């Protein structure tokens, strides 16, 4: 399903088009279905169909004052077309679109993991008052509340066991594929999965201060830092690109 979503991205289609054109161009002569002229026309089509949408995106970035390494790639594609180096241009199109596709895949994967972690957290907890149980929203849990954790439920907060004995799966938190024994006095962490026996627990922290919530905060922060790192790369590209063009101009003049 993830790849189906990716192929709705234009970069995926450009990758497929450019890769197919390059492979067809490089086929051995014995099985080559195209003449030399037709192969050049094939790569020209790859550069135009695949390159023009990317060049438009890069040009829009330049108009916004975002000078990055992609600008150098744009100049290289245009130059290879003018010099009739169609294979080099098609390879550049493949490299740019492939990089964009991999970035899209990485972002979607990180987002899907974050969403999966968010969805697995319970929304309802069972507050225990004497012998009575009352369902409450997890956000309404307060420190020292007594809660009933039923079999196979996920602990909504960091807590300590008051009554009962069970085994809990903490692999989501620790990465270790072992169940941990829990008895009165044992500490449990939010996000851990209870075993077969109900437990009475006392909340040590409110949900937003519990371990699972902190893990989620770190993951959100990591995802939010990605655009800042991207801007740093673009700033470096903004320095590198004029320098590279200057050296190219000097070499051309000499």
């Amino acid at each position: 399903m993830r790849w189906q979503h990716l192929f709705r991205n234009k970069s995926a289609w450009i990758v497929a088009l450019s890769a197919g054109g390059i492979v067809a161009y490089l086929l051995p002569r014995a099985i080559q279905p195209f003449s030399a002229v037709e192969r050049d026309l094939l790569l020209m089509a790859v550069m135009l169909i695949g390159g023009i949408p990317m060049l438009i995106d890069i040009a829009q970035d330049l108009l916004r004052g975002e000078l990055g390494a992609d600008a150098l790639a744009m100049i290289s594609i245009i130059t290879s077309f003018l010099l009739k180096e169609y294979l080099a241009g098609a390879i550049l199109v493949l490299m740019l679109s492939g990089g964009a596709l991999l970035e899209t895949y990485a972002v979607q994967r990180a987002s899907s993991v974050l969403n999966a972690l968010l969805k697995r957290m319970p929304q309802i907890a069972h507050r225990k008052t004497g012998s009575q149980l009352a369902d409450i929203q997890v956000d309404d849990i307060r420190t020292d509340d007594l809660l009933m954790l039923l079999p196979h439920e996920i602990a909504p907060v960091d807590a300590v066991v008051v009554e009962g004995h069970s085994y809990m799966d903490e692999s989501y938190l620790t990465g270790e594929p072992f169940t941990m024994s829990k008895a009165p006095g044992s500490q449990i962490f939010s996000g851990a999965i209870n075993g077969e026996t109900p437990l009475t627990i006392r909340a040590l922290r409110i949900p937003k201060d519990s371990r699972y919530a902190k893990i989620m905060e770190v993951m959100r922060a990591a995802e939010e830092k990605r655009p800042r790192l991207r801007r740093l790369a673009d700033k470096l590209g903004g320095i590198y690109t004029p320098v590279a063009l200057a050296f190219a101009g000097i070499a051309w003049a000499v």
Side-chain angles (χ1 to χ4, degrees):
M1 293 298 293
R2 188 180 294 130
W3 284 104
Q4 290 178 4
H5 290 300
L6 278 179
F7 269 87
R8 295 172 187 168
N9 186 298
K10 67 180 178 181
S11 296
W13 293 106
I14 295 174
V15 167
L17 174 67
S18 54
I22 292 170
V23 169
Y25 182 89
L26 296 176
L27 283 174
R29 186 169 297 178
I31 59 173
Q32 180 59 252
F34 305 109
S35 65
V37 174
E38 289 173 335
R39 287 190 296 162
D40 285 342
L41 289 174
L42 176 65
L43 290 184
M44 286 178 62
V46 168
M47 291 183 63
L48 291 174
I49 298 173
I52 288 177
M54 300 175 62
L55 295 180
I56 291 174
D57 290 341
I58 296 171
Q60 290 174 344
D61 290 340
L62 291 175
L63 291 175
R64 290 194 295 266
E66 299 175 4
L67 178 62
D70 287 349
L72 190 60
M74 178 183 72
I75 295 171
S76 301
I77 292 173
I78 295 173
T79 303
S80 63
F81 184 83
L82 295 176
L83 296 178
K84 298 182 179 180
E85 295 291 341
Y86 304 125
L87 179 60
I91 291 174
L92 284 169
V93 170
L94 177 61
M95 290 173 60
L96 279 177
S97 58
L101 181 63
L102 290 174
E103 181 181 5
T104 300
Y105 174 76
V107 170
Q108 288 184 359
R109 186 173 182 181
S111 297
S112 65
V113 171
L114 189 59
N115 290 333
L117 290 173
L118 283 171
K119 288 179 180 178
R120 74 180 296 269
M121 279 304 291
Q123 302 299 315
I124 299 295
H126 316 294
R127 179 182 283 157
K128 187 175 182 181
T129 306
S131 60
Q132 301 295 318
L133 289 180
D135 289 346
I136 62 171
Q137 293 293 319
V138 166
D139 291 339
D140 293 333
I141 297 175
R142 295 293 176 260
T143 304
D144 292 328
D145 277 355
L146 285 179
L147 307 171
M148 177 66 75
L149 189 62
L150 300 177
H152 309 297
E153 283 191 331
I154 297 173
V157 291
D158 293 347
V160 62
V161 177
V162 176
E163 295 178 7
H165 182 280
S166 186
Y167 289 86
M168 300 195 72
D169 180 0
E170 298 178 349
S171 58
Y172 258 87
L173 304 169
T174 64
E176 298 179 355
F178 307 111
T179 56
M180 306 298 292
S181 176
K182 301 297 179 181
S186 299
Q187 187 172 354
I188 64 174
F189 301 112
S190 58
I193 304 172
N194 190 23
E196 302 289 340
T197 308
L199 295 173
T200 300
I201 60 176
R202 179 169 54 83
L204 296 178
R205 300 176 183 87
I206 60 176
K208 70 177 183 179
D209 293 332
S210 295
R211 175 170 295 198
Y212 198 82
K214 296 299 182 183
I215 292 174
M216 297 301 299
E217 287 179 9
V218 171
M219 292 191 65
R220 286 196 190 94
E223 192 173 40
E224 290 170 0
K225 285 179 182 177
R226 188 189 63 82
R228 288 196 288 272
L229 292 173
R230 177 74 181 273
R231 286 197 293 271
L232 176 61
D234 286 340
K235 288 179 181 179
L236 294 176
I239 298 172
Y240 169 78
T241 299
V243 171
L245 291 175
F247 277 108
I250 294 172
W252 188 281
V254 173

